Amino acid sequence: MKTLLKLTGIKKSFGAVRALKGVSFELVEGEVHALLGENGAGKSTLIKVITGAHRPDGGAIEVGGEEISELTPAKAQELGIACIYQQPALFPDLSVAENIGLRLEKLGIFKRVGWGDWRQKAEELLARIGAEISPVAEVSSLSMPEQQLVEIACALGSGARIVIMDEPTASLTQKEQHLLFKVVRDLRAQGVGVVYISHRLEEIFALADRVTVLRDGESVGTNPVNGLNESQMIRLMVGRDVETIYPQAEHELGEVLLKVESLSCAASGLEGLNFQIRAGEIFGLAGLVGAGRTELARVLFGITPADGGSISLNRKLLEISSPRQAILHGIAYVPEDRRKHGVILEMAAAENMTMASHSRWFKGGILRKGIETEAGREFVEALGIKLSSLAAPGGSLSGGNQQKLSVARWLATQPKLLILDEPTQGVDVGAKGEIHRIVRDLAKQGMAVLMISSDLPEILGMSDRIGVMRGGKLVEIFEHADAEQVMAAALGSEEVKA
Amino acid sequence: MKRYSRELTVGGALVLLMISLAIFAPNFFDTQPMISRLASQMPALILALGVALVIITRQIDVSIGSQFGMCAVIAGTAAAAGVPMPLAMLCALVAGALMGAANGWLVAGLGLPSIVVTLATMVIWQEVLRLWQKGLLLSLPDGVQWFGMSQGTGQAMVIGSTLLILVLMAWAMKNLSSGRRIYATGSDAEAARLAGLAPKATTFWVFLLMGVLAGVGAALNLVQSPQIQPNSGEGLELKAIAAAVVGGIAITGGRGTLWGVLLGMMLLANVNPALTHFHQPPYWEKAIQGLVILLAVAADGIRIKKQKHLK
Amino acid sequence: MKQTGSIKALLVKHEMILLWVIAVEVILFQVLGQNFLTAGNVSNIFRHSAEIGLLALVMTPVILTGGIDLSVGSLMGLCAVVFGMLVKVYGLDPLVAAGLTVLVGALGGGLNAGLVAGMGLRPLIVTLGTFSLFRGLAEALTHGSKSYSGFSDGFLALGNSDILGVPAQIWIVLVVGIVIWFLVHHTTYGRSLRAIGYGEEGARYAGLPVKRNISITYVMAGAVAGLAAVILVSRLGEARANAGMGYELLAITAVVLGGVSIFGGAGNVSGAVLGWIALAILNNGLTRISDYEILGEKVSSVARELSGLLTGLLLIAALALAICMKMLAAKRSAKQT
């Protein structure tokens, strides 16, 4: 078997965060090689190294037995590497056929476009993956899964030798999935190497020849799929014991603070959610990417208002149609995307901290720098934020301190319900522990905390109760659970539930 | 059909206007005045075709009126100095290309916002023109008007060459790789970059082509009168943009056809003559133009919102 | 990592540079020109540019949010005509008419606000549309040619007399300037404008009233355009449809020259004011240049004509400079990491 791709000792850091700590990976002709790991284990970074989007800090990349010193996206394409990202990069205003044609054919500017050829080619490729999409349809009229199918058709048509699929089935229907599997098998039969990333174990069993498990930026090992069963695989993924010591709850829980009943939001794909959180309780929300956790947070915070069901806080029924209203009711949301939504990078730390609570500090809307500085100092001290000065722009802080800044902004609103979305993503270990301590303290003071996290040990260690979401529904609420149970519920795997 | 709904709406409005004119003011269709009117609208149509390309790329160019004026005076001066007619026209095209390239370099090369860049170049060319011509009329030598032919032949040539350009451009936008690159760049520049379509180069060439078309428009304007005013291009940029936007060129880029621009221009250009034929004062032209731009943009906004809502 | 800090340092430096530019302008025109630094001329510099100053002041908040308002010049034309009609046709007291004119300006700005903030349309095309609409309405109201004149002396004094040795309208500019400066730098409203300019989505996540505050900037721009129209009519003694033509460009130039980022977020009112003064001095100084002859052309007559051209070139130069600075800062920070 010829080796198509060989990575040895790939290292990659982003600032203080070490995303890949020396990963080795090998792909041979005619195999489907699954890449498995929790969110944040380093899968997407590894993919980007293979497609040339990220330059590794160390390690060697060999394609077809030849060492490549500098891999750029263009070079990767030339070498026959194609990647289907989760987010399609298509032209929304153009037809499907044209999207595929423009991607596959590199025409000189005065060359005539072969509309008929493009259409035929698109029809053929779409038929091969069994997608029922008209080649003349405008891409903007397609649904997300349909757009993803178009992406897959592009990769298929490019004649790549190495195809990377990043959770290709995340939004596909059952039927589309089966067709996709057939495509993957066809590719394999043609000698193409497929790197297949998925959270769904049954897919890996159905498709993959070998599986490499990544954990915390390291490869735990490569195994033939035949030799493993589901629970072994889950154990490989979760693997480690809970090493970090999480601050434990030592206080009594208060009354029910947040009560959510049959909450729905069609636009975000949420359906019939029921749960409640008591004062002083940390409710952990686990699930895979795309399970609807962030969508739930956005509904509670009024960014995408609900269209059914009820939300009540302190027994009061709430109408939440904007973040402003949510804040007035005492709901705070520390968002997932820190750099885009959590902190305004160009503005001063102090300004960031008071941003969501202007009316509290500045009576009559007039800025008072003295009050701001004082408040800022208090938060800096309480949360242990490290910064050169309160006037330093948010972007000059490290990831962990930016996150604390974002938390400070929301504590300043004196919320009753605090929603945290991936609070420790991209944060170094020290800051992570501090953030955990802060969250626990806040709960102790009587706040209700809804914590979304893809970091299983964090969910297990911090939560008083754990809700698991899958496909826009809250499928399970555990009083006590271990990693395997949560993972099984998130994956929807019956076998390991026990 | 849905894709061409704007073209159909505008076409329908145009037909309605023509029918009502045919009933209430039939002398609107007297052959000679109508041909003269049509010929005089052709330079603006050429500009509208160019600016349509710019808008499809998701940019804007408000300097085209000034470019038009510059090109006209340059060609006129050359002709007045005894340069043979074809060469004088070539001067206009080259001048337009240079001015377009300047915009293109500032927008695509330096990454400056096109609205501010072209606002600045609009004033620069306008002022250069003013300093140079001091507002004086430029008389043209005899052989220039109607290419030295009879008025009828000249008008036919103006209309014919404009339509030829329209057909060629519309065909190229539909069938040439370069045309599709323009649509792709405006639809999503980042996706265009990933697909290796060089969106920056496309943007540059579109601005350059815009300049050349300003030159063509100026040349076709030049032949229609015995002398030229240095401010002949003033306000043309808005007329052209309005025609493009009304004809279905989406300001958000990547959408619309040049046939729509033709319909948009015919509708807008005939509003004023129609007003006079209905015995209404013609002062409302600019206001109607502005209102029409706003309506067209708002209609696009509603379309996008609906689409988002559907998802 | 220090990149944003140094951008701030640069901004401060930007204002220092502008002060130097102004100083050089003053010295140059004093040497080359006639009667440049006289009380009368200095007063003229400000008197003749008061309207531009007002527009630059209200353009600042708009550009801080990452928007632009191309319609202010046309709105001045419409407001001037409305004011002329209110006084000369309907015989209203100039003060009442002025109040109503400002209201009309605010309504015009409200149209922009509704389309930009309410419908989420791009400000450049919206205000390009209203640019045409407002001027067109002004022309329609005056049938393209009519103008209104013969205003009372009391009203004309606003544009042509001095109060405490300072042109009367400059007091208005001062008041508007202080209000805008206070709003932008000392209120939560002003801070939210900067947050919106840096990232509208981020501002929304922080619960800021994004739509409302964007609306306010456009309404304010409209109202002040109305005020500027009244002042212009008073100074010229005539209300015409072409009032304020091209002023939007001068205002934008002053603001960009003053170091306000065209992409939104960064910048301050004092910079915009200095940009305005530098531009005003340039325009006035060029007309004061003495007669020298170079190659048989009178320098003075050429110089007098140059101000428009220089404004355009200056705008491009200022923009290009800002971009180059940004690229340099990015390069430096890339090296650090």
Side-chain angles (χ1 to χ4, degrees):
Chain A
M1 258 308 140
K2 217 176 118 204
T3 303
L4 289 172
L5 173 76
K6 193 170 175 188
L7 306 177
T8 2
I10 298 292
K11 292 196 185 95
K12 177 77 191 169
S13 302
F14 299 99
V17 181
R18 291 168 67 202
L20 297 176
K21 309 170 185 167
V23 174
S24 298
F25 181 81
E26 190 201 37
L27 182 72
V28 299
E29 251 181 8
E31 80 161 335
V32 176
H33 195 144
L35 199 55
L36 205 58
E38 293 177 85
N39 300 325
K43 287 171 305 192
S44 51
T45 313
L46 190 64
I47 297 170
K48 285 189 175 153
V49 168
I50 301 174
T51 58
H54 280 336
R55 235 181 116 176
D57 303 331
I61 305 171
E62 273 176 48
V63 181
E66 208 174 308
E67 177 147 355
I68 310 295
S69 55
E70 203 168 324
L71 194 63
T72 60
K75 180 98 186 170
Q77 275 179 23
E78 222 174 275
L79 291 167
I81 300 174
C83 179
I84 301 150
Y85 290 107
Q86 283 171 290
Q87 274 296 326
L90 300 170
F91 305 108
D93 302 289
L94 307 182
S95 73
V96 171
E98 184 166 11
N99 265 280
I100 294 175
L102 281 172
R103 195 76 81 76
L104 299 185
E105 242 179 289
K106 296 281 167 276
L107 284 177
I109 58 168
F110 290 117
K111 282 277 153 41
R112 199 171 159 185
V113 167
W115 285 109
D117 291 352
W118 279 9
R119 204 170 143 177
Q120 213 173 356
K121 181 112 191 175
E123 233 157 41
E124 193 186 296
L125 288 171
L126 289 168
R128 255 175 80 187
I129 56 173
E132 284 167 8
I133 300 171
S134 158
V136 294
E138 198 177 302
V139 165
S140 65
S141 71
L142 302 183
S143 68
M144 212 43 157
E146 285 174 327
Q147 292 192 19
Q148 207 155 15
L149 288 172
V150 175
E151 278 277 347
I152 292 169
C154 285
L156 198 61
S158 71
R161 302 292 298 155
I162 300 168
V163 174
I164 304 163
M165 297 187 173
D166 189 359
E167 301 213 35
T169 57
S171 46
L172 300 188
T173 64
Q174 201 78 29
K175 193 178 152 228
E176 290 163 337
Q177 273 178 40
H178 283 294
L179 289 164
L180 178 75
F181 289 180
K182 197 177 153 290
V183 173
V184 173
R185 292 195 185 106
D186 282 354
L187 286 173
R188 172 167 57 191
Q190 291 158 23
V192 172
V194 178
V195 181
Y196 193 91
I197 293 147
S198 175
H199 280 299
R200 300 187 190 175
L201 295 184
E202 75 265 18
E203 282 179 17
I204 288 170
F205 281 106
L207 274 182
D209 304 302
R210 290 195 292 170
V211 56
T212 293
V213 178
L214 285 188
R215 197 197 302 149
D216 291 335
E218 283 171 297
S219 38
V220 183
T222 302
N223 296 291
V225 169
N226 294 339
L228 293 174
N229 64 28
E230 269 196 39
S231 44
Q232 281 171 319
M233 223 182 267
I234 290 180
R235 223 157 281 143
L236 272 175
M237 276 169 76
V238 191
R240 80 208 128 173
D241 300 316
V242 182
E243 308 144 19
T244 339
I245 297 163
Y246 289 92
Q248 288 308 305
E250 293 152 356
H251 55 278
E252 291 282 309
L253 299 186
E255 291 191 19
V256 170
L257 206 83
L258 175 77
K259 195 168 178 188
V260 171
E261 283 176 309
S262 50
L263 186 72
S264 300
C265 176
S268 340
L270 297 182
E271 224 183 296
L273 301 178
N274 288 295
F275 66 98
Q276 30 186 282
I277 309 179
R278 295 162 69 180
E281 185 181 31
I282 299 177
F283 185 78
L285 202 53
L288 303 176
V289 168
R293 297 170 303 163
T294 297
E295 287 74 8
L296 169 61
R298 287 162 55 93
V299 167
L300 290 175
F301 194 58
I303 296 167
T304 39
D307 54 19
S310 69
I311 305 167
S312 38
L313 198 67
N314 257 346
R315 295 205 197 87
K316 213 175 91 195
L317 205 61
L318 304 185
E319 274 287 332
I320 309 171
S321 59
S322 72
R324 238 180 131 56
Q325 271 176 335
I327 294 168
L328 284 176
H329 292 311
I331 299 174
Y333 175 47
V334 178
E336 180 184 12
D337 191 340
R338 190 168 55 225
R339 300 175 70 80
K340 215 165 144 198
H341 303 142
V343 174
I344 297 173
L345 300 174
E346 296 89 344
M347 293 179 82
E351 294 176 338
N352 265 297
M353 284 191 266
T354 54
M355 189 63 75
S357 51
H358 280 160
S359 57
R360 176 179 171 195
W361 312 107
F362 310 123
K363 297 279 172 282
I366 294 162
L367 298 179
R368 290 182 184 78
K369 297 273 156 79
I371 291 176
E372 182 162 68
T373 312
E374 204 177 307
R377 266 202 212 109
E378 246 168 67
F379 283 118
V380 165
E381 202 172 311
L383 304 185
I385 305 174
K386 290 181 200 75
L387 36 64
S388 56
S389 93
L390 281 170
S396 70
L397 274 58
S398 73
N401 283 305
Q402 278 181 21
Q403 188 64 19
K404 288 186 194 170
L405 202 61
S406 181
V407 173
R409 171 191 287 181
W410 291 105
L411 292 187
T413 65
Q414 300 174 302
K416 300 189 191 90
L417 169 67
L418 178 66
I419 307 169
L420 300 160
D421 199 346
E422 304 286 1
T424 59
Q425 198 175 65
V427 161
D428 63 81
V429 182
K432 201 164 164 175
E434 285 176 61
I435 290 172
H436 289 151
R437 182 185 54 77
I438 292 164
V439 172
R440 180 52 77 187
D441 279 351
L442 293 171
K444 202 182 276 178
Q445 289 159 29
M447 218 176 266
V449 178
L450 176 64
M451 187 178 78
I452 298 167
S453 176
S454 299
D455 183 346
L456 257 188
E458 180 174 85
I459 284 276
L460 296 170
M462 291 291 297
S463 313
D464 296 310
R465 280 186 308 142
I466 300 168
V468 181
M469 287 190 75
R470 191 177 70 234
K473 295 191 184 96
L474 192 59
V475 288
E476 198 101 41
I477 296 180
F478 295 104
E479 297 282 339
H480 299 283
D482 57 32
E484 277 82 3
Q485 285 174 311
V486 173
M487 207 41 157
L491 294 165
S493 142
E494 295 297 318
E495 193 188 318
V496 264
K497 210 181 261 172
Chain B
M1 274 299 115
K2 215 175 147 196
R3 249 200 112 101
Y4 300 106
S5 59
R6 177 63 72 77
E7 282 88 339
L8 294 174
T9 325
V10 174
L14 186 59
V15 169
L16 274 181
L17 182 70
M18 291 301 143
I19 290 175
S20 48
L21 276 165
I23 296 170
F24 298 108
N27 55 356
F28 183 83
F29 294 99
D30 290 352
T31 320
Q32 195 45 49
M34 196 171 75
I35 287 180
S36 291
R37 204 166 50 232
L38 215 53
S40 72
Q41 288 159 356
M42 290 301 114
L45 177 59
I46 295 272
L47 283 196
L49 295 176
V51 88
L53 262 50
V54 175
I55 298 175
I56 291 172
T57 328
R58 204 166 196 275
Q59 304 288 352
I60 192 114
D61 191 343
V62 293
S63 72
I64 54 178
S66 302
Q67 289 183 18
F68 179 93
M70 277 291 279
C71 293
V73 170
I74 286 170
T77 311
V83 174
M85 197 43 192
L87 218 54
M89 301 224 154
L90 191 67
C91 285
L93 303 201
V94 171
L98 289 175
M99 287 185 284
N103 281 338
W105 179 70
L106 289 164
V107 173
L110 285 186
L112 297 174
S114 54
I115 179 67
V116 192
V117 165
T118 56
L119 208 56
T121 50
M122 167 178 106
V123 170
I124 290 172
W125 304 131
Q126 196 175 296
E127 289 291 313
V128 166
L129 215 49
R130 197 172 58 86
L131 285 176
W132 179 15
Q133 290 299 310
K134 314 230 161 34
L136 295 177
L137 284 179
L138 187 68
S139 297
L140 298 170
D142 284 340
V144 172
Q145 200 180 5
W146 307 123
F147 306 98
M149 290 175 270
S150 74
Q151 185 178 350
T153 324
Q155 282 172 338
M157 277 185 74
V158 167
I159 295 172
S161 47
T162 305
L163 292 182
L164 184 69
I165 290 172
L166 168 67
V167 170
L168 277 178
M169 279 178 67
W171 181 83
M173 285 300 279
K174 175 85 186 153
N175 292 308
L176 283 190
S177 167
S178 44
R180 303 321 294 174
R181 280 176 188 228
I182 293 174
Y183 279 103
T185 301
S187 187
D188 190 330
E190 177 61 16
R193 196 181 64 84
L194 289 176
L197 297 178
K200 277 190 175 179
T202 307
T203 307
F204 173 82
W205 286 105
V206 165
F207 272 101
L208 189 136
L209 181 63
M210 175 71 249
V212 173
L213 286 170
V216 173
L220 292 182
N221 195 42
L222 195 69
V223 297
Q224 300 196 31
S225 59
Q227 75 260 104
I228 44 170
Q229 289 181 321
N231 65 350
S232 56
E234 237 164 68
L236 265 185
E237 62 280 339
L238 275 175
K239 210 177 226 165
I241 292 169
V245 172
V246 170
I249 305 290
I251 199 75
T252 44
R255 306 182 76 93
T257 64
L258 296 185
W259 299 109
V261 179
L262 171 69
L263 294 172
M265 181 51 91
M266 287 301 102
L267 182 66
L268 277 180
N270 284 313
V271 164
N272 228 23
L275 280 180
T276 32
H277 275 84
F278 284 127
H279 308 293
Q280 292 298 317
Y283 319 116
W284 289 91
E285 189 186 12
K286 220 181 239 174
I288 290 172
Q289 193 172 281
L291 198 64
V292 159
I293 292 182
L294 292 179
L295 284 176
V297 174
D300 271 341
I302 290 167
R303 174 184 60 83
I304 289 169
K305 227 172 225 173
K306 257 193 199 153
Q307 215 166 52
K308 265 195 195 142
H309 201 72
L310 274 176
K311 275 193 191 156
Chain C
M1 277 293 130
K2 273 188 222 135
Q3 138 207 19
T4 4
S6 68
I7 284 175
K8 194 164 183 190
L10 245 171
L11 275 181
V12 176
K13 236 168 66 195
H14 192 106
E15 278 155 79
M16 277 312 293
I17 293 173
L18 268 176
L19 280 174
W20 279 108
V21 168
I22 291 173
V24 169
E25 278 181 338
V26 168
I27 294 168
L28 199 68
F29 291 130
Q30 178 63 13
V31 173
L32 294 179
Q34 294 167 326
N35 305 329
F36 178 71
L37 267 186
T38 58
N41 189 48
V42 171
S43 159
N44 261 340
I45 292 176
F46 286 99
R47 192 189 302 284
H48 288 168
S49 63
E51 298 88 16
I52 307 282
L54 286 173
L55 295 186
L57 282 169
V58 280
M59 189 69 82
T60 305
V62 174
I63 293 184
L64 278 178
T65 65
I68 197 159
D69 191 344
L70 302 173
S71 73
V72 285
S74 298
L75 191 52
M76 268 182 79
L78 176 60
C79 287
V81 168
V82 166
F83 177 81
M85 287 176 78
L86 287 175
V87 175
K88 301 310 291 185
V89 179
Y90 299 99
L92 287 186
D93 181 76
L95 200 65
V96 177
L100 288 174
T101 304
V102 170
L103 196 68
V104 169
L107 283 176
L111 179 60
N112 286 330
L115 292 168
V116 172
M119 290 192 63
L121 303 175
R122 291 171 75 190
L124 90 89
I125 191 72
V126 166
T127 58
L128 199 61
T130 50
F131 167 90
S132 182
L133 176 67
F134 295 151
R135 185 72 68 196
L137 286 177
E139 284 173 7
L141 286 174
T142 56
H143 293 191
S145 57
K146 211 186 297 165
S147 73
Y148 301 94
S149 57
F151 295 98
S152 67
D153 288 347
F155 172 66
L156 294 181
L158 168 67
N160 298 293
S161 67
D162 289 347
I163 299 175
L164 301 174
V166 173
Q169 61 263 59
I170 289 303
W171 291 106
I172 296 178
V173 178
L174 200 67
V175 170
V176 172
I178 289 171
V179 169
I180 299 277
W181 169 79
F182 187 79
L183 280 177
V184 167
H185 295 296
H186 291 277
T187 65
T188 55
Y189 164 73
R191 184 172 285 177
S192 75
L193 297 185
R194 296 207 293 127
I196 293 166
Y198 282 126
E200 208 174 306
E201 195 66 351
R204 209 157 80 87
Y205 269 78
L208 298 174
V210 174
K211 282 187 176 184
R212 189 194 77 188
N213 287 359
I214 290 180
S215 300
I216 291 174
T217 63
Y218 286 96
V219 172
M220 206 156 65
V224 171
L227 184 63
V230 173
I231 292 173
L232 183 71
V233 171
S234 160
R235 174 160 68 85
L236 300 177
E238 190 184 31
R240 304 169 62 103
N242 69 355
M245 208 173 248
Y247 278 28
E248 63 284 335
L249 181 82
L250 291 165
I252 292 168
T253 306
V255 172
V256 172
L257 205 58
V260 179
S261 164
I262 196 75
F263 302 104
N268 47 46
V269 175
S270 53
V273 169
L274 288 176
W276 162 56
I277 294 176
L279 207 58
I281 293 178
L282 179 71
N283 282 340
N284 174 283
L286 286 172
T287 64
R288 295 269 151 191
I289 286 183
S290 321
D291 290 338
Y292 303 98
E293 285 204 0
I294 295 177
L295 302 173
E297 277 270 7
K298 272 197 181 150
V299 173
S300 55
S301 59
V302 176
R304 226 162 270 162
E305 304 281 329
L306 274 180
S307 68
L309 185 61
L310 285 177
T311 308
L313 288 172
L314 216 55
L315 178 53
I316 287 191
L319 278 172
L321 189 75
I323 282 278
C324 291
M325 293 282 198
K326 213 171 160 185
M327 280 180 188
L328 272 180
K331 220 172 244 175
R332 212 178 300 138
S333 78
K335 251 181 210 159
Q336 273 172 5
T337 45

